Amino acid sequence: MSNFYEEVYVLTKQIPPGSVATYGLIARWLGNPRGARAVGWALQRTPHGARIPAHRVVRRDGTLAADHVFGGSDIQKELLENEGVPFSGNDRIDMNKAVWSGPVTDCFDA
Protein backbone atom coordinates (compact mmCIF):
# COMPACT_ATOMS: atom_id res chain seq x y z
CA MET A 1 0.00 0.00 0.00
CA SER A 2 1.35 3.38 -0.93
CA ASN A 3 2.02 6.10 1.61
CA PHE A 4 -0.61 8.26 -0.14
CA TYR A 5 -3.23 5.55 0.43
CA GLU A 6 -2.33 5.40 4.11
CA GLU A 7 -2.69 9.19 4.37
CA VAL A 8 -6.11 8.98 2.68
CA TYR A 9 -7.19 6.39 5.26
CA VAL A 10 -5.91 8.44 8.20
CA LEU A 11 -7.71 11.55 6.98
CA THR A 12 -10.93 9.74 6.08
CA LYS A 13 -11.11 8.30 9.60
CA GLN A 14 -11.28 11.88 10.90
CA ILE A 15 -14.48 12.80 9.02
CA PRO A 16 -17.09 13.00 11.78
CA PRO A 17 -20.46 11.27 11.58
CA GLY A 18 -23.02 13.56 9.98
CA SER A 19 -20.42 15.18 7.73
CA VAL A 20 -18.91 14.44 4.35
CA ALA A 21 -15.80 15.37 2.40
CA THR A 22 -15.19 15.25 -1.32
CA TYR A 23 -12.51 13.30 -3.13
CA GLY A 24 -11.00 16.60 -4.24
CA LEU A 25 -10.95 18.10 -0.74
CA ILE A 26 -9.12 15.08 0.63
CA ALA A 27 -6.61 15.27 -2.21
CA ARG A 28 -6.07 18.99 -1.57
CA TRP A 29 -5.67 18.51 2.20
CA LEU A 30 -3.01 15.90 1.42
CA GLY A 31 -1.11 18.30 -0.82
CA ASN A 32 -2.20 16.76 -4.12
CA PRO A 33 -4.92 19.08 -5.47
CA ARG A 34 -5.26 17.10 -8.70
CA GLY A 35 -5.42 13.76 -6.94
CA ALA A 36 -9.18 13.25 -6.54
CA ARG A 37 -9.14 10.09 -8.63
CA ALA A 38 -6.24 8.72 -6.62
CA VAL A 39 -8.31 9.25 -3.46
CA GLY A 40 -11.11 7.29 -5.11
CA TRP A 41 -8.74 4.46 -5.98
CA ALA A 42 -7.42 4.40 -2.43
CA LEU A 43 -10.90 4.17 -0.97
CA GLN A 44 -11.91 1.43 -3.39
CA ARG A 45 -8.91 -0.53 -2.09
CA THR A 46 -9.63 0.00 1.58
CA PRO A 47 -8.29 -3.03 3.44
CA HIS A 48 -11.05 -5.36 4.59
CA GLY A 49 -11.95 -4.72 8.21
CA ALA A 50 -10.05 -1.40 8.36
CA ARG A 51 -13.08 0.51 9.73
CA ILE A 52 -12.56 3.48 7.44
CA PRO A 53 -15.78 5.49 6.88
CA ALA A 54 -15.32 5.72 3.13
CA HIS A 55 -19.07 6.23 2.74
CA ARG A 56 -18.51 9.80 3.99
CA VAL A 57 -16.55 10.70 0.85
CA VAL A 58 -18.69 11.92 -2.04
CA ARG A 59 -18.45 13.77 -5.32
CA ARG A 60 -18.11 17.55 -5.25
CA ASP A 61 -21.67 18.05 -6.49
CA GLY A 62 -23.10 16.06 -3.58
CA THR A 63 -23.88 12.95 -5.57
CA LEU A 64 -22.99 9.56 -4.20
CA ALA A 65 -20.40 7.04 -5.34
CA ALA A 66 -20.93 4.73 -8.25
CA ASP A 67 -22.97 1.59 -7.69
CA HIS A 68 -19.89 -0.63 -7.49
CA VAL A 69 -18.71 1.13 -4.31
CA PHE A 70 -20.19 0.35 -0.88
CA GLY A 71 -22.54 -2.19 -2.40
CA GLY A 72 -24.39 0.58 -4.21
CA SER A 73 -25.39 4.19 -3.79
CA ASP A 74 -28.58 3.15 -1.95
CA ILE A 75 -26.47 1.64 0.83
CA GLN A 76 -24.22 4.70 0.95
CA LYS A 77 -27.27 6.97 1.19
CA GLU A 78 -28.76 4.89 3.99
CA LEU A 79 -25.50 5.00 5.96
CA LEU A 80 -25.27 8.77 5.56
CA GLU A 81 -28.92 9.38 6.42
CA ASN A 82 -28.52 7.26 9.56
CA GLU A 83 -25.71 9.62 10.58
CA GLY A 84 -27.86 12.70 9.95
CA VAL A 85 -26.32 13.90 6.69
CA PRO A 86 -28.87 16.24 5.07
CA PHE A 87 -30.03 15.54 1.54
CA SER A 88 -31.66 17.96 -0.86
CA GLY A 89 -33.56 16.92 -3.97
CA ASN A 90 -32.39 14.33 -6.50
CA ASP A 91 -30.55 12.24 -3.88
CA ARG A 92 -27.87 14.92 -3.52
CA ILE A 93 -26.28 15.84 -0.24
CA ASP A 94 -26.86 19.40 0.91
CA MET A 95 -23.19 20.32 0.62
CA ASN A 96 -23.69 23.72 2.28
CA LYS A 97 -24.70 21.94 5.47
CA ALA A 98 -22.73 18.69 5.37
CA VAL A 99 -19.17 19.37 4.19
CA TRP A 100 -16.56 18.86 6.87
CA SER A 101 -14.19 21.81 7.28
CA GLY A 102 -11.16 19.54 7.39
CA PRO A 103 -8.46 18.54 9.81
CA VAL A 104 -7.73 21.03 12.58
CA THR A 105 -4.01 20.37 12.50
CA ASP A 106 -1.69 18.97 9.92
CA CYS A 107 -1.37 15.46 11.28
CA PHE A 108 0.94 14.49 8.41
CA ASP A 109 3.97 16.54 9.41
CA ALA A 110 6.95 14.41 10.28
Side-chain angles (χ1 to χ4, degrees), residues 14-30:
Q14 295 178 44
I15 304 169
S19 297
V20 296
T22 67
Y23 297 98
L25 283 173
I26 290 175
R28 190 174 336 140
W29 291 329
L30 294 176

Side-chain angles (χ1 to χ4, degrees), residues 49-97:
R51 301 184 63 107
I52 296 168
H55 66 283
R56 296 180 188 145
V57 183
V58 299
R59 294 184 184 119
R60 68 179 174 205
D61 65 357
T63 57
L64 303 178
D67 285 337
H68 64 279
V69 182
F70 314 110
S73 58
D74 290 340
I75 292 172
Q76 184 181 17
K77 182 177 182 185
E78 181 179 341
L79 290 168
L80 293 171
E81 285 180 326
N82 288 342
E83 293 181 354
V85 171
F87 281 77
S88 57
N90 301 326
D91 287 336
R92 288 179 190 248
I93 293 168
D94 185 339
M95 299 299 277
N96 291 322
K97 295 179 182 174

Side-chain angles (χ1 to χ4, degrees), residues 3-12 14 26 29-31 103 105-110:
N3 190 38
F4 180 76
Y5 280 22
E6 292 171 18
E7 290 177 350
V8 168
Y9 302 147
V10 167
L11 187 54
T12 302
Q14 295 178 44
I26 290 175
W29 291 329
L30 294 176
T105 61
D106 187 0
C107 60
F108 303 103
D109 285 340

